[in-house]
Every structure is written in C-alpha cells, then in structure tokens.
Amino acid sequence: MTERSEAGELNGTTDQPLIRLDGVNKWFGPLHVLQDVDLSVRRGEVVVVIGPSGSGKSTLCRAINRLEPINSGTITFDGQPLPAEGRPLARLRSEVGMVFQSFNLFAHKTILENVTLGPIKVRKEKPDAARQRARALLDRVGIGSQADKFPAQLSGGQQQRAAIARALAMQPKAMLFDEPTSALDPEMVGEVLEVMTSLAGEGMTMVVVTHEMGFARHAANRVIFMADGQLVEDAPPAEFFANPRSERAKDFLSKIL
Ligand code: ADP
Ligand code: MG
C-alpha cells in the first residue's frame, strides 16, 4: 500500500460522520413529527438545534440514541445502524450521553453514586477506579465538594453539572443535550453553559437543543433550525443569525432575540 492511499483511508475514517440520519420519518399516530430528516454530524462538531416548541427537536435527539424508534429512514452512529435491543443498544446508550431538561438524577443515591453507577454496572469498572474517575469528573464540572451529598441538597445548576458528569463517566463518543438550562433559575444558566462550552472546546461531538443564542453563536459549528418536523436551515451561526433565509426562522428569531 502506498503512503498516499494509507493517508486517504485514514482520512476516510476520520471524515465519516459520527451521527448520520438519512430520510428519517417519525409519526406519533397521525402526527408527522420528523419529516425526511437528513443530518450528518462530524466528529468534534457542535450542532445547536433551535426551533419552536413542538417542532420535533426532542424527538430528533431521542431518535439518535433510540429512546424513540423511527418509522422509516436510517440512522447510523459511528458507521453502524442503530441497534434495536440488547447489549448493542445498551452500548449505544453509553456511547451517546444524554442530558435532559430535568436532571434525572437518582434521588436516593449520592452524587458520587449517581456518577459511578453506569461505569460499574454497564462498563464493569472496578468500584475504586470508577469512584476515582467520578471524583475527577465532578472536580472538572466544579462540584467536587458536593460528591457525598444527595441531589436534593444541590442547586439546579449543580445537579445539572452532576448529570453532565454522569454522562461523561460512560466515556461517550457524543453528547446530546435537550434544553439543559431551560429548567434552571437564570443565575445558574451560566455555570452549566460554561461546562458545555469547555466540553465543546475539548472536541466533544455535541448536539444541543437550546434557546441560549449566546451559546449557539460562540460554541456551535452549525445551527439547525427546525419547524414542523423539518430541518429548515443548517448554517454556521454567524451566517444563520446575520441572514436567516426562511421566513419562519426570521419570525422565530424576531421573537426570541
Ligand atoms: P420539541 O422538542 O421541538 O418541542 P417534540 O419532539 O417534543 O418537540 O414533539 C414534537 C411533536 O410530537 C409535538 O407535537 C409533540 O406534542 C408530539 N409528541 C412528542 N412525544 C410524543 C409522544 N410520546 N406521543 C405523542 N405525541 C408526541
Ligand atoms: Mg423538546
């Protein structure tokens, strides 16, 4: 094999999208919530998804880790079609971290236990090693001193940072965020966005549904605008905010900016 073709193959691997949706359709009864959605997310890319309530943003996120099965089309993650069940599905869920609006921490477990549970149960890590890594992750999101508390003893912003640490503990290849700051008091939004921004800076592949346009402007590589189950626009943030092409995006931006 020549050096050139070797390099080409390496590039081919690197350029393959990590997440890819082709002609994806999803119905809830008569409601067509994802309509022929095509989307590729490359490794290290940060894609912010915006759009009116009910446009299908959460369904799109949930389809990517198969919390929501689709009716037609294909979704691949890291080159493989999404598995439907069993161990491969559990592995996919660990490789695609998800952070929700509601923090979804286990109320009766400490923050540290919340973070170590998946690594010990699913990844079969040794408890001591898992705890050590969890403490490092909690330090990284700025709540190392909260490790032995229960979720209810933390502020919303701290709980959401714990939820991010918990997802990161599974060593995901990508992270999905579905309105991670929408349930927070305004003074706590910044600390969560700061953690997300640093994650983006470290090269994590991220799909982020958010109304935080500052984050979209500064951290996103692309902004996707969804309306009525369709991807209406897909552009770099500077271009999207300066010059939205569709009337619906213009209308949406005029209401939120
Ligand atoms: P968004 O996150 O953009 O607000 P969603 O993806 O949550 O939108 O919802 C898209 C549409 O699908 C909405 O009309 C919503 O009411 C509907 N929907 C979402 N989940 C379900 C479900 N489990 N059953 C029926 N309809 C649903
Ligand atoms: Mg939603």
Side-chain angles (χ1 to χ4, degrees), residues 26-29 31-34 49-62 68 178-179 209 211 226 229:
K26 169 75 183 175
W27 281 267
F28 285 118
L31 204 60
H32 196 178
V33 293
L34 295 179
V49 182
I50 67 173
S53 176
S55 56
K57 306 178 301 294
S58 292
T59 306
L60 176 75
C61 278
R62 293 166 59 82
E68 212 58 86
D178 191 1
E179 300 202 29
V209 178
H211 300 297
M226 275 189 90

Side-chain angles (χ1 to χ4, degrees), residues 91-111:
R91 195 169 92 211
L92 171 80
R93 298 255 169 89
S94 72
E95 288 180 344
V96 186
M98 182 136 183
V99 174
F100 302 89
Q101 180 174 337
S102 53
F103 325 123
N104 290 14
L105 296 167
F106 296 111
H108 55 285
K109 292 191 185 297
T110 66
I111 296 303

Side-chain angles (χ1 to χ4, degrees), residues 211-227:
H211 300 297
E212 294 295 331
M213 296 301 119
F215 178 83
R217 277 177 195 278
H218 297 116
N221 300 110
R222 283 154 67 199
V223 174
I224 283 171
F225 176 71
M226 275 189 90

